[in-house]
Amino acid sequence: MEKLKDLLRSNDLKATHQRIAILECIDKFGHINIDAIYDYICEKYPTMSKATVYRNINELLSYDIIEEIKLPHKNKKYEIKKVPHIHLLCKRCSKVEDLFLETKPFFNSITSHTGFKIDHSFIVIDGTCRACQQS
Amino acid sequence: MEKLKDLLRSNDLKATHQRIAILECIDKFGHINIDAIYDYICEKYPTMSKATVYRNINELLSYDIIEEIKLPHKNKKYEIKKVPHIHLLCKRCSKVEDLFLETKPFFNSITSHTGFKIDHSFIVIDGTCRACQQS
DNA sequence: AATATATTAGATAATATTTATTATTATCTA
DNA sequence: TAGATAATAATAAATATTATCTAATATATT
Ligand SMILES: [Mn+2]
Ligand SMILES: [Mn+2]
Ligand SMILES: [Zn+2]
Ligand SMILES: [Zn+2]
């Protein structure tokens, strides 16, 4: 809570209730889309406008406080910015799992094949999570 | 041209001029978004409706004739369905490059770490292509 | 080639998603 | 606590996508 306020202020963003609520919500759910953020926060702040969610999401993106995740055939989701990682999307339970895995060998192979200079990667793996395989 | 007609007919889709034009356009450009398809085809078929583009794109997607590519902070693009591959997106020239690369070792590492059963992967690499690095 | 049949296109309305505008309110600094 | 400034809510506008319906077209059959 105070940590979130500091995070906003260190980026010259005012720590409004709405912004804090949006960040707390994203943090709580891990990976979440606009509508779900809006619905969740409306419980606490019924006057909150959806435009405020969009406006703040874009603001937070531009300061690299959050980042956008594009999933196949789904709406965009957002998460608190972390170190680079991979997303595992379960088609059964729809959960998005973070995987922090060493990608250097894979990236080196890409660069040596193509000469492409890599900045970022966006890796989504579709399949069935361990829990869903057992049920 | 005849190959495209056969492709459509083998999926019980009528080989209309519009559909063939859409497929030819996607094939010609490799990776292209809705608006660019529409603009390109309008030159030849000025009466073409954008709803027809959307309708056919969805139809072609559902028959796995084309597939959707989501790129970070860009509109969706479409391409003729190929064997699985990786996309290299150059931030300088905006070109999307296909890379057919062995991913088994990487995927095995994911499965052994997580128990996740992999169906598909969506891998986009952001960076600078070889050509743009030299200019 | 003409005809029958179902499918598709085009026009347009409807819906969904995202952004812009502006008067009012809240935050922060002094 | 007051004043300067930034952010919100409400709303309109813009953009993106889908649905509906009638006329046109593709294809199989004669
Ligand atoms: Mn994540
Ligand atoms: Mn491709
Ligand atoms: Zn699951
Ligand atoms: Zn380039």
Side-chain angles (χ1 to χ4, degrees), chain A residues 90 92-93 129 132:
Chain A
C90 178
R92 206 81 91 72
C93 66
C129 75
C132 284

PDB file of all heavy atoms in Angstrom, chain A residues 90 92-93 129 132, ligand 3:
ATOM      1  N   CYS A  90      -3.225 -22.328 -19.739  1.00  0.00           N
ATOM      2  CA  CYS A  90      -3.923 -23.616 -19.728  1.00  0.00           C
ATOM      3  C   CYS A  90      -5.275 -23.476 -20.415  1.00  0.00           C
ATOM      4  O   CYS A  90      -6.091 -22.645 -20.044  1.00  0.00           O
ATOM      5  CB  CYS A  90      -4.111 -24.113 -18.295  1.00  0.00           C
ATOM      6  SG  CYS A  90      -5.020 -25.670 -18.226  1.00  0.00           S
ATOM      7  N   ARG A  92      -7.610 -25.555 -20.371  1.00  0.00           N
ATOM      8  CA  ARG A  92      -8.659 -26.163 -19.561  1.00  0.00           C
ATOM      9  C   ARG A  92      -9.162 -25.159 -18.518  1.00  0.00           C
ATOM     10  O   ARG A  92     -10.332 -24.815 -18.484  1.00  0.00           O
ATOM     11  CB  ARG A  92      -8.083 -27.409 -18.900  1.00  0.00           C
ATOM     12  CG  ARG A  92      -9.025 -28.503 -18.513  1.00  0.00           C
ATOM     13  CD  ARG A  92      -9.476 -29.458 -19.575  1.00  0.00           C
ATOM     14  NE  ARG A  92      -8.619 -30.617 -19.680  1.00  0.00           N
ATOM     15  CZ  ARG A  92      -8.564 -31.616 -18.769  1.00  0.00           C
ATOM     16  NH1 ARG A  92      -9.357 -31.616 -17.714  1.00  0.00           N
ATOM     17  NH2 ARG A  92      -7.742 -32.619 -18.931  1.00  0.00           N
ATOM     18  N   CYS A  93      -8.273 -24.664 -17.665  1.00  0.00           N
ATOM     19  CA  CYS A  93      -8.692 -23.802 -16.545  1.00  0.00           C
ATOM     20  C   CYS A  93      -8.444 -22.327 -16.838  1.00  0.00           C
ATOM     21  O   CYS A  93      -8.782 -21.474 -16.033  1.00  0.00           O
ATOM     22  CB  CYS A  93      -7.983 -24.213 -15.259  1.00  0.00           C
ATOM     23  SG  CYS A  93      -6.199 -23.955 -15.270  1.00  0.00           S
ATOM     24  N   CYS A 129      -2.182 -27.464 -17.954  1.00  0.00           N
ATOM     25  CA  CYS A 129      -1.336 -27.360 -16.772  1.00  0.00           C
ATOM     26  C   CYS A 129      -1.313 -28.694 -16.025  1.00  0.00           C
ATOM     27  O   CYS A 129      -2.160 -29.556 -16.236  1.00  0.00           O
ATOM     28  CB  CYS A 129      -1.786 -26.222 -15.869  1.00  0.00           C
ATOM     29  SG  CYS A 129      -3.272 -26.553 -14.907  1.00  0.00           S
ATOM     30  N   CYS A 132      -4.581 -29.663 -14.204  1.00  0.00           N
ATOM     31  CA  CYS A 132      -5.691 -30.079 -15.069  1.00  0.00           C
ATOM     32  C   CYS A 132      -5.447 -31.444 -15.713  1.00  0.00           C
ATOM     33  O   CYS A 132      -6.394 -32.147 -16.054  1.00  0.00           O
ATOM     34  CB  CYS A 132      -5.932 -29.034 -16.147  1.00  0.00           C
ATOM     35  SG  CYS A 132      -6.784 -27.571 -15.520  1.00  0.00           S
TER      36      CYS A 132
HETATM   37 ZN    ZN E   3      -5.295 -25.868 -15.963  1.00  0.00          ZN
END
